[in-house]
C-alpha cells in the first residue's frame, strides 16, 4: 500500500534530511563539518566567486559561521587532514573519501572513452599517447597545473582549453589523476591519484557497477528524505536505466517506501530511515548550488518557489539579479536576495531583495539577521543595500 504524505510533511522530511532545523553549534569543528558533508554526500564546486566559492556555502547554511580553513584542510590539506576528494558526482564536487569506490565505475567508463565530455574522449583512444605523456610528466615532476604545461596561461572555459588541459581533464575523469590542491584563482593542481588518495581508501573493494548505482541511489534517498525517481537519479547524474534498476531494487528491499504526496501527481519514495519532524525552525540563506534547491522543478513542487540562477541568464532577462540566494525561514522559502561581497570596501552588497507572496511579517527582520551573520562570516565590515 502506498503511504500518503501531506505537502507540508514532505517539506519537513526533505528539510530534516538535508540538515536544516537543528540548532547551530556555538563553535563549528571538523566533526560538525564532516557530519554535514556525509549527510549531503557532496558539496558542489563552482568557480563563481561573486559572494564566496559555492562549496563553502552549504555548511554555512546549516551550521552558521565557521572557519573555512576547516573545509580547505579536509579537501586539500595535509594527508593526515584530508577527508574529501574531488570528482564528478552531481557536477564537479567534493566528496567523502569513502565514496571513492562508488564512483570507480564512472572512472573506468571514462578510461574506455564512454564517459566525460565528447571533446576529451579521443584521449582514451587515438590520442591516448598524448595523455600518457602528460601523465608521465606529472609522475616525474610532481603536482602540476594546466598553466605549468601551457606557458603560464590558465584558461578556465571549455572553449578556451588547450589540448593539454583537455588531456588533464580526461585523466581526471578516468581517475588516473586527481586534485592535489588549488592555486591562486582556483586553478586545479593535479597529481597522481595514488599520491593523493590514501592507500587504505584505494585498497577498498570496487563494487560491481550495479551495486555502486544502488548505493548511490540509497545515499541520494537518505540525503533527500523524500524524492521522485528522477530526483534520485539526478543527485549523482546516473543514467535513467541504471537509476531505474537501482530504485526498483531498493523498493523491493523496502529501503525506499512508495509515497503519494498531496497535490503532486508524480509518485515518490521515502527513505525508510527518514526523520519526520513535526516542525522545522530556523533560518538560512541557501546557495544556488545547494542540493536542497539545485533540482529546480523539485523546489517548485515542494516549496511553490520558482527559482532560476541569474549567472546563466542575459542581463536583460534576469528577474531578481545575478547571484540570488533563496531565504529559508522555518519550513518555507520566503524571500530571495542578490548578494555580492565587495572585498575592496569590506561590504556585503544587497543588490536586490524580494519577499514572496504571503511571507510572514518578521521575514525582513530575520533575513537581516542572517545577512549580518553572513557578512561577519565573510569578514566584511558592514552591509550596503541598493535601491
Amino acid at each position: 500500500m502506498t503511504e500518503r504524505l501531506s505537502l507540508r510533511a514532505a517539506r519537513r522530511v526533505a528539510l530534516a534530511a538535508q540538515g536544516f532545523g537543528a540548532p547551530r553549534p556555538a563553535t563549528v569543528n571538523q566533526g560538525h563539518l564532516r557530519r554535514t558533508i556525509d549527510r549531503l554526500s557532496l558539496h558542489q564546486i563552482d568557480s563563481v566567486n561573486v559572494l564566496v566559492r559555492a562549496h563553502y556555502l552549504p555548511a554555512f547554511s546549516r551550521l552558521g559561521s565557521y572557519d573555512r580553513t576547516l573545509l580547505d584542510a579536509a579537501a586539500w590539506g595535509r594527508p593526515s587532514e584530508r577527508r574529501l576528494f574531488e570528482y564528478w558526482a552531481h557536477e564537479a564536487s567534493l566528496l567523502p573519501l569513502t565514496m571513492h569506490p562508488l564512483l570507480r565505475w564512472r572512472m573506468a567508463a571514462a578510461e574506455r572513452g564512454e564517459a566525460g565530455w565528447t571533446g576529451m574522449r579521443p584521449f582514451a583512444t587515438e590520442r591516448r599517447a598524448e595523455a600518457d605523456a602528460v601523465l608521465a610528466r606529472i609522475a616525474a615532476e610532481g603536482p602540476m597545473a594546466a598553466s605549468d604545461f601551457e606557458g603560464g596561461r590558465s584558461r578556465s572555459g571549455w572553449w578556451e582549453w588547450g589540448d593539454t588541459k583537455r588531456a588533464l581533464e580526461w585523466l581526471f575523469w578516468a581517475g588516473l589523476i586527481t586534485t592535489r590542491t588549488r592555486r591562486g584563482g582556483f586553478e586545479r593542481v593535479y597529481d597522481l591519484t595514488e599520491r593523493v588518495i590514501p592507500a587504505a581508501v584505494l585498497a577498498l573493494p570496487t563494487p560491481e557497477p550495479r551495486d555502486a548505482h544502488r548505493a548511490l541511489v540509497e545515499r541520494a534517498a537518505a540525503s533527500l528524505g523524500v524524492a521522485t525517481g528522477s530526483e534520485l537519479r539526478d543527485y549523482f547524474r546516473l543514467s535513467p536505466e541504471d537509476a531505474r534498476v537501482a530504485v526498483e531494487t531498493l523498493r523491493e528491499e523496502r529501503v525506499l517506501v512508495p509515497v503519494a504526496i498531496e497535490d503532486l501527481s508524480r509518485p515518490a519514495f521515502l527513505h525508510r530511515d527518514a526523520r519526520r519532524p513535526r516542525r522545522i525552525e530556523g533560518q538560512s540563506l541557501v546557495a544556488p548550488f545547494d542540493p536542497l534547491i539545485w533540482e529546480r522543478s523539485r523546489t517548485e513542487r515542494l516549496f511553490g518557489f520558482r527559482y532560476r540562477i541569474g549567472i546563466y541568464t542575459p542581463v536583460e532577462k534576469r528577474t531578481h539579479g545575478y547571484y540570488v540566494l533563496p531565504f529559508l525561514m522555518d519550513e518555507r522559502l520566503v524571500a530571495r536576495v542578490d548578494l555580492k561581497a565587495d572585498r575592496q570596501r569590506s561590504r556585503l552588497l544587497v543588490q536586490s531583495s524580494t519577499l514572496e507572496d504571503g511571507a510572514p511579517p518578521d521575514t525582513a527582520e530575520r533575513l537581516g539577521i542572517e545577512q549580518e551573520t553572513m557578512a561577519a562570516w565573510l569578514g566584511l565590515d558592514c552591509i550596503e543595500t541598493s535601491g
Side-chain angles (χ1 to χ4, degrees):
M1 179 180 293
T2 299
E3 182 179 349
R4 300 190 67 82
L5 277 182
S6 70
L7 189 57
R8 288 189 64 186
R11 280 200 297 266
R12 289 194 292 266
V13 167
L15 289 166
Q18 284 279 301
F20 291 103
R24 290 174 169 177
T27 302
V28 177
N29 58 36
Q30 193 63 257
H32 295 117
L33 185 62
R34 176 181 54 78
R35 288 188 288 275
T36 296
I37 296 179
D38 284 345
R39 178 189 294 276
L40 303 181
S41 292
L42 56 84
H43 278 197
Q44 187 173 329
I45 298 171
D46 189 82
S47 61
V48 174
N49 197 27
V50 65
L51 180 64
V52 65
R53 302 284 185 194
H55 58 280
Y56 293 117
L57 280 165
F60 170 77
S61 297
R62 291 153 178 82
L63 301 173
S65 185
Y66 73 99
D67 184 349
R68 280 171 283 161
T69 63
L70 291 174
L71 184 56
D72 292 339
W76 304 294
R78 296 189 301 270
S80 61
E81 299 175 309
R82 193 178 291 257
R83 299 290 183 270
L84 307 171
F85 74 105
E86 285 189 39
Y87 193 60
W88 290 94
H90 182 77
E91 292 287 342
S93 302
L94 288 170
L95 303 108
L97 283 169
T98 52
M99 290 192 62
H100 189 273
L102 301 183
L103 292 162
R104 291 176 190 163
W105 62 273
R106 182 169 283 164
M107 299 173 190
E111 189 167 9
R112 296 191 302 268
E114 298 169 1
W117 299 306
T118 303
M120 69 172 60
R121 294 188 183 189
F123 290 100
T125 51
E126 65 264 27
R127 301 185 68 178
R128 181 63 183 262
E130 297 173 57
D132 286 342
V134 170
L135 185 64
R137 188 169 169 190
I138 293 174
E141 299 182 26
M144 300 181 73
S147 58
D148 296 323
F149 289 89
E150 299 179 350
R153 294 170 296 167
S154 179
R155 300 179 288 187
S156 59
W158 171 259
W159 55 92
E160 297 176 322
W161 285 1
D163 287 344
T164 300
K165 175 62 174 175
R166 294 173 193 255
L168 285 165
E169 284 299 306
W170 174 77
L171 290 165
F172 180 86
W173 268 90
L176 301 173
I177 60 175
T178 190
T179 308
R180 162 71 69 176
T181 188
R182 293 273 185 165
R183 177 193 296 170
F186 208 55
E187 183 184 20
R188 270 194 186 125
V189 179
Y190 305 90
D191 200 357
L192 301 183
T193 297
E194 59 266 30
R195 295 200 298 227
V196 177
I197 305 295
V201 173
L202 295 178
L204 293 172
T206 300
E208 291 296 321
R210 186 185 187 106
D211 294 330
H213 301 154
R214 178 202 172 282
L216 289 170
V217 169
E218 182 173 2
R219 287 193 74 117
S223 296
L224 293 171
V226 62
T228 66
S230 64
E231 291 159 4
L232 295 172
R233 178 187 71 80
D234 178 71
Y235 209 85
F236 292 105
R237 297 288 166 86
L238 301 178
S239 75
E241 179 58 19
D242 290 340
R244 184 195 65 77
V245 172
V247 167
E248 182 59 25
T249 300
L250 290 165
R251 188 191 65 78
E252 291 174 354
E253 295 172 353
R254 299 188 179 180
V255 175
L256 296 181
V257 179
V259 293
I261 301 174
E262 172 192 19
D263 296 334
L264 301 184
S265 58
R266 294 189 181 188
F269 299 94
L270 180 78
H271 191 280
R272 67 183 175 192
D273 298 328
R275 288 181 52 232
R276 305 191 192 199
R278 294 188 176 185
R279 63 181 179 273
I280 296 287
E281 296 179 343
Q283 60 209 31
S284 299
L285 286 163
V286 183
F289 303 104
D290 193 290
L292 179 70
I293 60 168
W294 69 28
E295 217 289 333
R296 309 306 190 203
S297 59
R298 180 175 192 262
T299 304
E300 194 162 351
R301 286 193 298 272
L302 275 183
F303 294 94
F305 188 90
R306 180 174 172 79
Y307 176 63
R308 300 294 183 271
I309 184 169
I311 62 176
Y312 303 127
T313 307
V315 174
E316 65 276 9
K317 294 185 178 180
R318 289 178 196 151
T319 305
H320 297 99
Y322 180 73
Y323 201 77
V324 177
L325 281 72
F327 179 55
L328 174 69
M329 197 171 85
D330 300 331
E331 300 173 12
R332 295 173 53 198
L333 294 170
V334 296
R336 60 189 90 204
V337 287
D338 181 18
L339 297 179
K340 179 178 181 178
D342 184 341
R343 299 174 184 90
Q344 188 171 13
R345 297 192 301 139
S346 194
R347 284 165 165 75
L348 177 64
L349 304 182
V350 182
Q351 302 187 113
S352 72
S353 180
T354 307
L355 303 187
E356 297 296 292
D357 291 341
D362 60 344
T363 298
E365 178 184 359
R366 292 175 66 178
L367 175 57
I369 292 170
E370 193 65 8
Q371 289 171 171
E372 290 173 0
T373 301
M374 175 169 279
W377 173 58
L378 296 177
L380 303 174
D381 291 337
C382 63
I383 297 172
E384 182 178 300
T385 302
S386 302

